[in-house]
Amino acid sequence: NANQTCGTIEDMLGSRRRLHLAMLENYKLEIEGRLEALLEGEVVQQRLARDGYAKKYDHHEGMKTAVLDEVNALVLKHTERKAKWYNEDGQYESAMAEAMQLEKRALGKLLHWASGSAYKKTLEKEPMHLVRWRALGQLFQRVRAAQERGEERVAQDTAMELCKELGLVGNSLMVKSVDERNEEEEKLPLVPAAAAANKWAGRSEGEEPPLVRAAAGGNVWALQ
């Protein structure tokens, strides 16, 4: 009957929203667990060892709380959107992209505090995505600085780290190191990350620069 038909249509229209919110909740639980593990990890413990003030006032716990508050605020924003909003393809894709980046941004904010010297009071108020952009910029600067010093190995390793952070290379592509070789034991001069970075850096498709040139050849802000 008409009521059943209307109910079926509403269910169909709401399916994207339900699936998206369920995924976000799973991401949130994963982030909570990984943040707890990071607090006990080497990077955070080293920050506390060299920063007595941060240790005394539990700045690591404060940073975790700040990150989780931001994660919860994002989940709430996505929850408040109606099903109709998610049924617009462009909007749904943007929501998915934001969700997919959530874990990396959340963990990255805590790690950025732990691995540097930024004050909690300053960093905890800064949005996760801005912290991540700055961290990527610092990686890019490390690549260029290593090249200028003639430390090609350091530049290569840092370029690989940058490509992984940008999602240009990862375990799914089976690329683990700049020293990876093929079945004939030939060193691979180009990995998928370099090909992808080629496009972002505005190079022609025919060029095949080694990984370090590909990662360092473009503006890191344009790569994200």
Side-chain angles (χ1 to χ4, degrees), residues 160-188:
M160 175 63 86
E161 184 180 351
L162 175 59
C163 283
K164 287 180 178 179
E165 284 296 322
L166 290 168
L168 298 176
V169 63
N171 291 336
S172 62
L173 296 175
M174 302 304 291
V175 178
K176 305 284 180 61
S177 164
V178 293
D179 288 327
E180 186 168 347
R181 298 173 184 272
N182 61 19
E183 293 179 358
E184 286 73 38
E185 290 301 312
E186 295 173 335
K187 190 172 180 179
L188 299 177

Side-chain angles (χ1 to χ4, degrees), residues 1 22 40 53 76 87 89 96 101 115 119-120 125 128 137 139 155 160 173 179-180 192 199 215:
N1 60 33
E40 302 299 324
Y53 186 83
L76 179 61
N87 287 320
D89 288 344
M96 286 291 292
Q101 295 173 33
S115 60
Y119 291 110
K120 177 187 78 72
K125 297 177 182 178
M128 292 184 293
L139 265 180
M160 175 63 86
L173 296 175
D179 288 327
E180 186 168 347
K199 178 183 68 174

